[in-house]
Amino acid sequence: MSTLNPTRRDFLQAGASASLGTLITGSATSLYSQSAQAQTPPPQLRVLCTGPAGSIPDIVARRITEQLAQNYPQGAIVDNKPGAAGQIAMAALKAAPADGSTMLLAQGALATIYPYLYNKLAYDPERDLQPVSLAGEMTLALAVGPAVPASMIKVPDLISWLRNNPKLANAGSPGQGTLPHLLQAMLFGQAEVPWQHIIYPGGPQAIVDLLGGQIATLALPEGLFRQHKESGRIRVLATSGIARSKIFPEVPTFTELGYKGLEIREWFAFFMPDKATPAMLTTASRQIEAAITRAPLLAAFTEAAITPSASSPATLSARIAVEQKQWQAILQTSGIRAS
């Protein structure tokens, strides 16, 4: 592999030693010109997104892309390609030119979990993904809707009800192998409750069925539940943070309730195609770091209970390496595999 196409190991060593979205237009002022390796920016940035419109990845992608647009003469667009646990968006990234004009906004699971969950993937995270920067992090929550009796207000209550109503024990998630799926698989596995996994292309569609009583439980990033909890249409029973949620302070964590290994934070990050150069990765990372400090983005992230979080390519690579080992061990111990 050439020096212009570093592997994740190269980044770690470096770190140790030192449907198309709405066009978002902006000025042609570019941070590329501030780099020691000055280069002309592509005319337009295309950000592929693993989630559908209205989902958490879509919110992250759109709010950051709005700020990145000013670095490209023709602005930037978000291209939503949901489904197949991110592999549709991943295929589009692999087909994109490695000229700095295309990035992927994806869940961390694409690089850290799926290699150990699926017997075969259409991509190799080590070969096909170039880490650019973290984008945002969030806590997950478990909610129930009208399919579950109103008297079920605690997780132990829910577990008992599911055990006594196996035909109604169906749980939704935004995709097989996503953290919301794994959270419920680990919870119900510990509780020894048989359940059926109902897969949706994204969180918004799953919420519709939760509200309609088609599914009993749903795990998603907590911000997606705020509006419906405030209206009383759903009940949030637990959250996956180390400490209690800032938006749901009355709701206990899974750890408080005695469930092990359910301190889980969902995170999203930007990636570039395999042959993107180090200069492209560094420039894009710096642009993202600048973008997440701006007031419009901070306001949108706060509303959705997303914590903005940028990083260097090396830092993101290191996080991926650590979490790959953690999830490999968890999946081997639990026996959870993609069907």
Side-chain angles (χ1 to χ4, degrees):
M1 189 174 289
S2 74
T3 57
L4 294 184
N5 185 21
T7 65
R8 186 168 296 122
R9 187 177 299 106
D10 296 327
F11 275 128
L12 292 171
Q13 290 173 346
S17 66
S19 55
L20 288 177
T22 304
L23 184 63
I24 306 167
T25 58
S27 71
T29 304
S30 174
L31 294 183
Y32 276 84
S33 61
Q34 299 174 14
S35 169
Q37 296 178 317
Q39 52 188 290
T40 302
Q44 185 181 72
L45 175 66
R46 177 191 182 207
V47 175
L48 303 165
C49 178
T50 57
S55 65
I56 289 293
D58 178 68
I59 293 171
V60 174
R62 258 169 222 289
R63 298 293 82 80
I64 295 181
T65 301
E66 286 172 351
Q67 303 304 318
L68 294 178
Q70 66 184 275
N71 302 301
Y72 300 85
Q74 297 177 21
I77 58 172
V78 173
D79 189 351
N80 296 88
K81 292 193 174 295
Q87 295 196 68
I88 296 174
M90 186 64 232
L93 183 73
K94 288 177 64 176
D99 60 359
S101 65
T102 305
M103 287 197 288
L104 168 68
L105 186 282
Q107 61 272 33
L110 200 74
T112 62
I113 297 175
Y114 297 168
Y116 310 106
L117 182 74
Y118 291 91
N119 292 324
K120 185 177 181 180
L121 288 173
Y123 66 93
D124 180 339
E126 179 72 25
R127 184 190 65 228
D128 298 323
L129 284 172
Q130 289 283 18
V132 176
S133 173
L134 283 168
E137 302 186 45
M138 57 228 75
T139 297
L140 302 179
L142 179 72
V144 297
V148 178
S151 58
M152 305 291 106
I153 59 174
K154 298 180 180 180
V155 172
D157 300 333
L158 172 66
I159 296 300
S160 297
W161 182 82
L162 294 173
R163 189 174 288 122
N164 293 327
N165 296 272
K167 292 184 179 180
L168 300 177
N170 46 30
S173 87
Q176 190 152 21
T178 60
L179 283 182
H181 167 214
L182 296 180
L183 174 68
Q184 292 178 102
M186 294 163 70
L187 170 65
F188 298 142
Q190 288 185 37
E192 299 182 342
V193 175
W195 65 295
Q196 296 81 46
H197 182 209
I198 310 300
I199 300 172
Y200 293 87
Q205 296 93 326
I207 289 177
V208 170
D209 275 6
L210 182 71
L211 294 171
Q214 282 77 37
I215 54 175
T217 75
L218 176 62
L220 287 175
E222 60 181 0
L224 289 177
F225 291 132
R226 175 186 276 176
Q227 173 188 351
H228 305 293
K229 182 180 183 298
E230 290 174 351
S231 72
R233 301 180 69 190
I234 66 167
R235 284 155 282 148
V236 175
L237 303 189
T239 58
S240 68
I242 297 174
R244 288 201 177 195
S245 164
K246 292 182 179 179
I247 65 171
F248 303 138
E250 74 284 2
V251 176
T253 67
F254 287 105
T255 301
E256 285 181 72
L257 297 173
Y259 296 101
K260 298 179 180 179
L262 298 185
E263 292 180 354
I264 296 174
R265 291 274 285 176
E266 178 80 277
W267 55 268
F268 293 88
F270 284 95
F271 300 89
M272 277 188 168
D274 174 48
K275 292 182 171 29
T277 67
M280 292 175 188
L281 301 177
T282 299
T283 297
S285 174
R286 289 173 179 170
Q287 290 175 344
I288 293 165
E289 182 179 16
I292 69 169
T293 65
R294 295 172 188 152
L297 182 144
L298 294 175
F301 273 29
T302 298
E303 176 63 24
I306 302 168
T307 301
S309 180
S311 71
S312 68
T315 298
L316 177 55
S317 294
R319 178 167 184 166
I320 289 171
V322 169
E323 293 197 15
Q324 282 179 335
K325 293 180 180 179
Q326 292 173 341
W327 281 108
Q328 183 180 24
I330 290 171
L331 294 175
Q332 287 178 344
T333 300
S334 67
I336 299 171
R337 297 291 295 175
S339 59

PDB file of all heavy atoms in Angstrom, residues 64-83:
ATOM      1  N   ILE A  64     -23.973  19.154  10.217  1.00  0.00           N
ATOM      2  CA  ILE A  64     -22.543  19.378   9.976  1.00  0.00           C
ATOM      3  C   ILE A  64     -22.303  19.784   8.523  1.00  0.00           C
ATOM      4  O   ILE A  64     -21.491  20.679   8.239  1.00  0.00           O
ATOM      5  CB  ILE A  64     -21.724  18.134  10.351  1.00  0.00           C
ATOM      6  CG1 ILE A  64     -21.815  17.885  11.864  1.00  0.00           C
ATOM      7  CG2 ILE A  64     -20.257  18.306   9.928  1.00  0.00           C
ATOM      8  CD1 ILE A  64     -21.026  16.695  12.356  1.00  0.00           C
ATOM      9  N   THR A  65     -23.017  19.168   7.599  1.00  0.00           N
ATOM     10  CA  THR A  65     -22.840  19.494   6.184  1.00  0.00           C
ATOM     11  C   THR A  65     -23.217  20.949   5.893  1.00  0.00           C
ATOM     12  O   THR A  65     -22.589  21.613   5.052  1.00  0.00           O
ATOM     13  CB  THR A  65     -23.669  18.537   5.308  1.00  0.00           C
ATOM     14  OG1 THR A  65     -23.240  17.198   5.553  1.00  0.00           O
ATOM     15  CG2 THR A  65     -23.492  18.855   3.828  1.00  0.00           C
ATOM     16  N   GLU A  66     -24.228  21.447   6.585  1.00  0.00           N
ATOM     17  CA  GLU A  66     -24.582  22.862   6.426  1.00  0.00           C
ATOM     18  C   GLU A  66     -23.385  23.757   6.725  1.00  0.00           C
ATOM     19  O   GLU A  66     -23.176  24.779   6.063  1.00  0.00           O
ATOM     20  CB  GLU A  66     -25.727  23.218   7.380  1.00  0.00           C
ATOM     21  CG  GLU A  66     -27.071  22.677   6.970  1.00  0.00           C
ATOM     22  CD  GLU A  66     -28.141  22.883   8.034  1.00  0.00           C
ATOM     23  OE1 GLU A  66     -27.795  23.301   9.167  1.00  0.00           O
ATOM     24  OE2 GLU A  66     -29.311  22.612   7.746  1.00  0.00           O
ATOM     25  N   GLN A  67     -22.601  23.382   7.725  1.00  0.00           N
ATOM     26  CA  GLN A  67     -21.437  24.186   8.092  1.00  0.00           C
ATOM     27  C   GLN A  67     -20.245  23.926   7.171  1.00  0.00           C
ATOM     28  O   GLN A  67     -19.459  24.835   6.892  1.00  0.00           O
ATOM     29  CB  GLN A  67     -21.045  23.882   9.552  1.00  0.00           C
ATOM     30  CG  GLN A  67     -22.159  24.117  10.559  1.00  0.00           C
ATOM     31  CD  GLN A  67     -22.699  25.530  10.504  1.00  0.00           C
ATOM     32  OE1 GLN A  67     -21.947  26.493  10.392  1.00  0.00           O
ATOM     33  NE2 GLN A  67     -24.026  25.662  10.576  1.00  0.00           N
ATOM     34  N   LEU A  68     -20.114  22.707   6.669  1.00  0.00           N
ATOM     35  CA  LEU A  68     -19.007  22.390   5.771  1.00  0.00           C
ATOM     36  C   LEU A  68     -19.184  23.036   4.400  1.00  0.00           C
ATOM     37  O   LEU A  68     -18.207  23.230   3.670  1.00  0.00           O
ATOM     38  CB  LEU A  68     -18.902  20.864   5.589  1.00  0.00           C
ATOM     39  CG  LEU A  68     -18.527  20.035   6.816  1.00  0.00           C
ATOM     40  CD1 LEU A  68     -18.518  18.551   6.451  1.00  0.00           C
ATOM     41  CD2 LEU A  68     -17.167  20.456   7.363  1.00  0.00           C
ATOM     42  N   ALA A  69     -20.413  23.368   4.044  1.00  0.00           N
ATOM     43  CA  ALA A  69     -20.706  23.869   2.695  1.00  0.00           C
ATOM     44  C   ALA A  69     -19.879  25.081   2.312  1.00  0.00           C
ATOM     45  O   ALA A  69     -19.542  25.271   1.136  1.00  0.00           O
ATOM     46  CB  ALA A  69     -22.190  24.192   2.586  1.00  0.00           C
ATOM     47  N   GLN A  70     -19.535  25.917   3.298  1.00  0.00           N
ATOM     48  CA  GLN A  70     -18.803  27.149   2.990  1.00  0.00           C
ATOM     49  C   GLN A  70     -17.396  26.883   2.463  1.00  0.00           C
ATOM     50  O   GLN A  70     -16.759  27.772   1.905  1.00  0.00           O
ATOM     51  CB  GLN A  70     -18.716  28.014   4.248  1.00  0.00           C
ATOM     52  CG  GLN A  70     -17.879  27.416   5.356  1.00  0.00           C
ATOM     53  CD  GLN A  70     -17.915  28.264   6.610  1.00  0.00           C
ATOM     54  OE1 GLN A  70     -17.149  29.223   6.741  1.00  0.00           O
ATOM     55  NE2 GLN A  70     -18.821  27.929   7.506  1.00  0.00           N
ATOM     56  N   ASN A  71     -16.905  25.652   2.611  1.00  0.00           N
ATOM     57  CA  ASN A  71     -15.557  25.323   2.159  1.00  0.00           C
ATOM     58  C   ASN A  71     -15.496  24.858   0.706  1.00  0.00           C
ATOM     59  O   ASN A  71     -14.412  24.525   0.216  1.00  0.00           O
ATOM     60  CB  ASN A  71     -14.969  24.232   3.056  1.00  0.00           C
ATOM     61  CG  ASN A  71     -14.920  24.644   4.505  1.00  0.00           C
ATOM     62  OD1 ASN A  71     -14.293  25.640   4.846  1.00  0.00           O
ATOM     63  ND2 ASN A  71     -15.589  23.891   5.362  1.00  0.00           N
ATOM     64  N   TYR A  72     -16.650  24.831   0.012  1.00  0.00           N
ATOM     65  CA  TYR A  72     -16.712  24.294  -1.343  1.00  0.00           C
ATOM     66  C   TYR A  72     -17.419  25.289  -2.264  1.00  0.00           C
ATOM     67  O   TYR A  72     -18.477  25.823  -1.909  1.00  0.00           O
ATOM     68  CB  TYR A  72     -17.437  22.939  -1.347  1.00  0.00           C
ATOM     69  CG  TYR A  72     -16.727  21.928  -0.482  1.00  0.00           C
ATOM     70  CD1 TYR A  72     -16.983  21.873   0.897  1.00  0.00           C
ATOM     71  CD2 TYR A  72     -15.768  21.073  -1.013  1.00  0.00           C
ATOM     72  CE1 TYR A  72     -16.300  20.979   1.709  1.00  0.00           C
ATOM     73  CE2 TYR A  72     -15.094  20.177  -0.209  1.00  0.00           C
ATOM     74  CZ  TYR A  72     -15.359  20.135   1.156  1.00  0.00           C
ATOM     75  OH  TYR A  72     -14.671  19.265   1.961  1.00  0.00           O
ATOM     76  N   PRO A  73     -16.879  25.556  -3.440  1.00  0.00           N
ATOM     77  CA  PRO A  73     -17.446  26.571  -4.328  1.00  0.00           C
ATOM     78  C   PRO A  73     -18.928  26.371  -4.633  1.00  0.00           C
ATOM     79  O   PRO A  73     -19.681  27.342  -4.714  1.00  0.00           O
ATOM     80  CB  PRO A  73     -16.595  26.434  -5.603  1.00  0.00           C
ATOM     81  CG  PRO A  73     -15.287  25.893  -5.123  1.00  0.00           C
ATOM     82  CD  PRO A  73     -15.622  24.983  -3.985  1.00  0.00           C
ATOM     83  N   GLN A  74     -19.371  25.133  -4.797  1.00  0.00           N
ATOM     84  CA  GLN A  74     -20.778  24.845  -5.108  1.00  0.00           C
ATOM     85  C   GLN A  74     -21.530  24.272  -3.909  1.00  0.00           C
ATOM     86  O   GLN A  74     -22.591  23.677  -4.061  1.00  0.00           O
ATOM     87  CB  GLN A  74     -20.862  23.886  -6.300  1.00  0.00           C
ATOM     88  CG  GLN A  74     -20.295  24.472  -7.587  1.00  0.00           C
ATOM     89  CD  GLN A  74     -20.319  23.474  -8.740  1.00  0.00           C
ATOM     90  OE1 GLN A  74     -21.082  22.504  -8.735  1.00  0.00           O
ATOM     91  NE2 GLN A  74     -19.474  23.709  -9.737  1.00  0.00           N
ATOM     92  N   GLY A  75     -21.002  24.470  -2.707  1.00  0.00           N
ATOM     93  CA  GLY A  75     -21.682  24.026  -1.506  1.00  0.00           C
ATOM     94  C   GLY A  75     -21.576  22.537  -1.261  1.00  0.00           C
ATOM     95  O   GLY A  75     -20.591  21.897  -1.645  1.00  0.00           O
ATOM     96  N   ALA A  76     -22.599  21.956  -0.620  1.00  0.00           N
ATOM     97  CA  ALA A  76     -22.553  20.554  -0.234  1.00  0.00           C
ATOM     98  C   ALA A  76     -23.952  19.972  -0.218  1.00  0.00           C
ATOM     99  O   ALA A  76     -24.932  20.689  -0.035  1.00  0.00           O
ATOM    100  CB  ALA A  76     -21.906  20.404   1.144  1.00  0.00           C
ATOM    101  N   ILE A  77     -24.054  18.663  -0.402  1.00  0.00           N
ATOM    102  CA  ILE A  77     -25.337  17.967  -0.354  1.00  0.00           C
ATOM    103  C   ILE A  77     -25.238  16.753   0.555  1.00  0.00           C
ATOM    104  O   ILE A  77     -24.152  16.199   0.774  1.00  0.00           O
ATOM    105  CB  ILE A  77     -25.809  17.520  -1.756  1.00  0.00           C
ATOM    106  CG1 ILE A  77     -24.767  16.597  -2.408  1.00  0.00           C
ATOM    107  CG2 ILE A  77     -26.117  18.708  -2.634  1.00  0.00           C
ATOM    108  CD1 ILE A  77     -25.238  15.958  -3.698  1.00  0.00           C
ATOM    109  N   VAL A  78     -26.380  16.344   1.095  1.00  0.00           N
ATOM    110  CA  VAL A  78     -26.485  15.092   1.834  1.00  0.00           C
ATOM    111  C   VAL A  78     -27.236  14.102   0.968  1.00  0.00           C
ATOM    112  O   VAL A  78     -28.306  14.414   0.437  1.00  0.00           O
ATOM    113  CB  VAL A  78     -27.224  15.284   3.179  1.00  0.00           C
ATOM    114  CG1 VAL A  78     -27.479  13.941   3.861  1.00  0.00           C
ATOM    115  CG2 VAL A  78     -26.420  16.199   4.101  1.00  0.00           C
ATOM    116  N   ASP A  79     -26.687  12.915   0.816  1.00  0.00           N
ATOM    117  CA  ASP A  79     -27.264  11.858  -0.016  1.00  0.00           C
ATOM    118  C   ASP A  79     -27.634  10.694   0.900  1.00  0.00           C
ATOM    119  O   ASP A  79     -26.767   9.917   1.312  1.00  0.00           O
ATOM    120  CB  ASP A  79     -26.247  11.433  -1.074  1.00  0.00           C
ATOM    121  CG  ASP A  79     -26.830  10.491  -2.116  1.00  0.00           C
ATOM    122  OD1 ASP A  79     -27.967  10.031  -1.917  1.00  0.00           O
ATOM    123  OD2 ASP A  79     -26.127  10.194  -3.101  1.00  0.00           O
ATOM    124  N   ASN A  80     -28.922  10.566   1.246  1.00  0.00           N
ATOM    125  CA  ASN A  80     -29.367   9.508   2.155  1.00  0.00           C
ATOM    126  C   ASN A  80     -29.418   8.167   1.439  1.00  0.00           C
ATOM    127  O   ASN A  80     -30.072   8.029   0.401  1.00  0.00           O
ATOM    128  CB  ASN A  80     -30.761   9.831   2.700  1.00  0.00           C
ATOM    129  CG  ASN A  80     -30.771  11.072   3.550  1.00  0.00           C
ATOM    130  OD1 ASN A  80     -30.942  12.175   3.042  1.00  0.00           O
ATOM    131  ND2 ASN A  80     -30.574  10.914   4.845  1.00  0.00           N
ATOM    132  N   LYS A  81     -28.728   7.183   2.002  1.00  0.00           N
ATOM    133  CA  LYS A  81     -28.714   5.824   1.452  1.00  0.00           C
ATOM    134  C   LYS A  81     -28.888   4.827   2.598  1.00  0.00           C
ATOM    135  O   LYS A  81     -27.958   4.116   2.973  1.00  0.00           O
ATOM    136  CB  LYS A  81     -27.423   5.570   0.681  1.00  0.00           C
ATOM    137  CG  LYS A  81     -27.324   6.406  -0.594  1.00  0.00           C
ATOM    138  CD  LYS A  81     -26.229   5.956  -1.504  1.00  0.00           C
ATOM    139  CE  LYS A  81     -26.252   6.722  -2.826  1.00  0.00           C
ATOM    140  NZ  LYS A  81     -27.462   6.467  -3.629  1.00  0.00           N
ATOM    141  N   PRO A  82     -30.102   4.785   3.168  1.00  0.00           N
ATOM    142  CA  PRO A  82     -30.337   3.898   4.304  1.00  0.00           C
ATOM    143  C   PRO A  82     -30.517   2.448   3.880  1.00  0.00           C
ATOM    144  O   PRO A  82     -30.704   2.145   2.702  1.00  0.00           O
ATOM    145  CB  PRO A  82     -31.633   4.456   4.892  1.00  0.00           C
ATOM    146  CG  PRO A  82     -32.366   5.000   3.697  1.00  0.00           C
ATOM    147  CD  PRO A  82     -31.291   5.571   2.804  1.00  0.00           C
ATOM    148  N   GLY A  83     -30.490   1.564   4.878  1.00  0.00           N
ATOM    149  CA  GLY A  83     -30.799   0.157   4.640  1.00  0.00           C
ATOM    150  C   GLY A  83     -29.587  -0.739   4.645  1.00  0.00           C
ATOM    151  O   GLY A  83     -28.442  -0.293   4.506  1.00  0.00           O
TER     152      GLY A  83
END
